[in-house]
Amino acid sequence: MKKFSQKTISRSFLYIRTLEQLIRAGETLVSSKKLADITGLTDVQIRKDISNFGKVGRPRIGYKITELKKILEDFVLQHIVHVSLFGVGNLGSAILKYPGFHQEKVEIVAAFEKDKRKIGKKINGVSIYSVEDAPRVVSKMHTEIGIIAVPEEYAQQVADIIVACGLHGIINFSPVSINVPKDVSVKNIDLAIEFLSLYCEMQL
Amino acid sequence: MKKFSQKTISRSFLYIRTLEQLIRAGETLVSSKKLADITGLTDVQIRKDISNFGKVGRPRIGYKITELKKILEDFVLQHIVHVSLFGVGNLGSAILKYPGFHQEKVEIVAAFEKDKRKIGKKINGVSIYSVEDAPRVVSKMHTEIGIIAVPEEYAQQVADIIVACGLHGIINFSPVSINVPKDVSVKNIDLAIEFLSLYCEMQL
DNA sequence: CCTTGTGAACGGATTCACAGCT
DNA sequence: AGCTGTGAATCCGTTCACAAGG
């Protein structure tokens, strides 16, 4: 699967979503220019990305939306991604209730907490387990990715648990760097840094 | 201010935070190698970044932590960033309660909602206003950045409101692209795409 | 030595310019 | 004319290799 750059892949998800919007709007054809207007990217960028997947469009016509969507999905989104959440605090709860996963191929299959009072409950259909049960539950649920949504002082030990569960992908919402083996991919989402660096970017 | 790349700036925030950790741990000197170990970056990367800001370190010795922190802050973080939140649903509430902003120079100064029942309340000390009051409140509060945390169907109209309020920076948590004038910076944080593209990245 | 600082080399991604198709 | 597809050129960021300095 991996002759494509990470950036191309991320944008492909954006294309797929945009194509779905267009389908709902009743469109059947779209040009790279139109996709560019909607997504805020450039038309060349979009054609370059799509050209990775073969010759899909037709000159003078554009892309057939359903066909393009199918091709993109075949390359980047064969499976549903199963995610386990660690930490059901404010942020964790919001993630469990986030409505954006259903239409995408993302499914949160389990949540883990230390607080005994939350264990055994369900949020949005997802059961909350004790963090000690993580190895067992994670393997039963065929999870691929773990989310760290615990306070920063616990981030590293949760990361260790996630690694011990055999997962190879981590989304880290805590504002500290975590140490993991080289074969584990980590994506940090640090809200404070996002805000601060956007602010710097504005000062151009 | 802006001869530095966006990436350098983001990493600088990470350095500042790491230096604060080291200060709390009682350290006074640090090498680029040590910073590299903690942050997961390379030592050369760190030295390159720091060299943008002048000659700060001393060969054989390393960097004086307080001095380096001061210099980084002077370049990237002169002011507190004032943020307004639009949408106090699950995600919006979690953002209001997020504990990571206090130690950083980020302050949420106002929240806006359409739901009358929430207006007038406070979450974590932040007052919730009617979205109609946004122009007045935003200018009074000296806000610089707006956060979109509303359902996707309202994202564009909230974006328009934020632009109309005169803000030039937007963090968009909704899974749709928004159209804004060229002088407005937008940072999209799309959870589903983060998960899906991390998953693709893992398949190497 | 050991660590910083940096010009040069490298690599990857975007943009340019245009060929080709209808 | 209007659009896709793409080699070439360019830009940007990272890494390399090494000079300089306590």
Side-chain angles (χ1 to χ4, degrees):
Chain A
M1 153 190 241
K2 274 295 305 208
K3 43 183 193 287
F4 319 116
S5 83
Q6 195 51 42
K7 304 226 173 177
T8 297
I9 290 174
S10 293
R11 284 191 298 262
S12 296
F13 291 114
L14 192 56
Y15 303 152
I16 291 171
R17 176 178 297 164
T18 307
L19 294 171
E20 284 165 352
Q21 284 174 29
L22 290 168
I23 289 172
R24 282 198 297 277
E27 306 278 332
T28 57
L29 288 169
V30 69
S31 67
S32 57
K33 184 70 178 61
K34 174 138 189 209
L35 282 174
D37 287 342
I38 299 175
T39 58
L41 304 167
T42 70
D43 55 344
V44 192
Q45 174 85 83
I46 289 171
R47 289 201 301 278
K48 251 298 201 266
D49 281 336
I50 293 174
S51 74
N52 283 306
F53 306 112
K55 302 203 180 194
V56 189
R58 276 181 320 193
R60 174 72 185 132
I61 309 288
Y63 302 94
K64 193 154 181 299
I65 292 179
T66 52
E67 186 189 354
L68 176 56
K69 174 166 176 280
K70 174 100 172 50
I71 286 169
L72 291 176
E73 285 179 343
D74 284 349
F75 277 102
V76 300
L77 178 117
Q78 301 98 322
H79 312 297
I80 290 183
V81 181
H82 302 94
V83 181
S84 283
L85 173 72
F86 291 78
V88 189
N90 293 313
L91 182 59
S93 304
I95 291 170
L96 285 174
K97 293 173 188 160
Y98 182 68
F101 297 136
H102 292 293
Q103 60 248 48
E104 304 292 333
K105 290 222 170 67
V106 174
E107 191 184 349
I108 301 181
V109 293
F112 300 97
E113 244 295 327
K114 225 173 51 173
D115 182 345
K116 305 287 179 210
R117 288 167 302 176
K118 293 178 186 164
I119 294 167
K121 294 195 175 161
K122 279 192 178 199
I123 293 184
N124 214 14
V126 179
S127 296
I128 302 173
Y129 301 92
S130 163
V131 73
E132 282 105 45
D133 294 333
R136 188 177 55 76
V137 176
V138 160
S139 68
K140 202 181 68 178
M141 296 293 198
H142 301 101
T143 302
E144 291 108 11
I145 288 178
I147 307 175
I148 297 178
V150 297
E152 56 179 301
E153 53 268 37
Y154 302 113
Q156 183 60 52
Q157 63 190 75
V158 167
D160 294 339
I161 292 169
I162 291 175
V163 171
C165 289
L167 302 187
H168 292 268
I170 295 179
I171 304 263
N172 177 27
F173 280 96
S174 80
V176 292
S177 305
I178 54 176
N179 284 308
V180 294
K182 286 162 302 305
D183 62 344
V184 177
S185 305
V186 177
K187 171 92 194 173
N188 294 300
I189 300 182
D190 188 313
L191 297 182
I193 287 186
E194 298 293 348
F195 291 5
L196 291 165
S197 62
L198 175 70
Y199 182 61
C200 284
E201 201 176 326
M202 290 161 52
Q203 321 270 310
L204 302 160
Chain B
M1 157 191 237
K2 274 294 307 210
K3 43 182 193 284
F4 320 116
S5 84
Q6 197 51 42
K7 305 226 173 180
T8 297
I9 291 173
S10 293
R11 285 191 298 264
S12 295
F13 290 115
L14 192 57
Y15 303 152
I16 291 171
R17 177 180 297 164
T18 307
L19 294 171
E20 284 165 354
Q21 283 174 29
L22 291 169
I23 289 172
R24 282 197 296 276
E27 306 278 332
T28 57
L29 287 169
V30 68
S31 68
S32 58
K33 184 72 180 57
K34 174 137 189 210
L35 283 174
D37 287 342
I38 299 175
T39 58
L41 303 167
T42 69
D43 54 343
V44 191
Q45 175 84 83
I46 290 171
R47 287 201 301 279
K48 251 294 201 267
D49 281 335
I50 293 173
S51 74
N52 283 304
F53 307 111
K55 304 205 179 193
V56 188
R58 275 181 320 191
R60 174 69 185 135
I61 309 289
Y63 301 94
K64 194 151 179 300
I65 292 180
T66 51
E67 184 189 357
L68 176 55
K69 175 166 175 279
K70 173 98 172 52
I71 285 169
L72 291 176
E73 286 178 343
D74 284 349
F75 276 102
V76 300
L77 177 117
Q78 302 97 321
H79 312 296
I80 291 184
V81 181
H82 302 94
V83 181
S84 283
L85 173 72
F86 291 79
V88 189
N90 293 313
L91 182 60
S93 303
I95 291 170
L96 284 175
K97 292 172 188 160
Y98 183 69
F101 297 137
H102 292 294
Q103 60 248 49
E104 304 293 333
K105 289 222 170 71
V106 174
E107 191 183 350
I108 301 182
V109 293
F112 299 97
E113 244 294 327
K114 225 171 54 172
D115 182 344
K116 305 287 178 210
R117 287 167 303 175
K118 293 176 186 164
I119 294 168
K121 294 192 176 163
K122 280 193 178 198
I123 294 184
N124 215 14
V126 179
S127 297
I128 302 173
Y129 301 91
S130 163
V131 73
E132 282 106 45
D133 294 334
R136 188 177 55 78
V137 176
V138 160
S139 68
K140 202 180 69 178
M141 296 292 198
H142 301 100
T143 302
E144 290 107 13
I145 288 178
I147 307 174
I148 298 178
V150 298
E152 56 179 301
E153 54 269 36
Y154 301 114
Q156 182 61 52
Q157 63 190 76
V158 168
D160 295 339
I161 291 169
I162 291 174
V163 171
C165 289
L167 302 186
H168 292 269
I170 295 179
I171 304 264
N172 177 27
F173 280 96
S174 81
V176 292
S177 304
I178 54 175
N179 284 307
V180 294
K182 287 163 303 303
D183 62 343
V184 177
S185 305
V186 177
K187 171 93 194 173
N188 294 299
I189 300 182
D190 188 313
L191 297 182
I193 288 186
E194 299 293 348
F195 291 5
L196 291 165
S197 62
L198 176 69
Y199 182 60
C200 284
E201 198 177 327
M202 290 161 53
Q203 319 270 310
L204 303 160

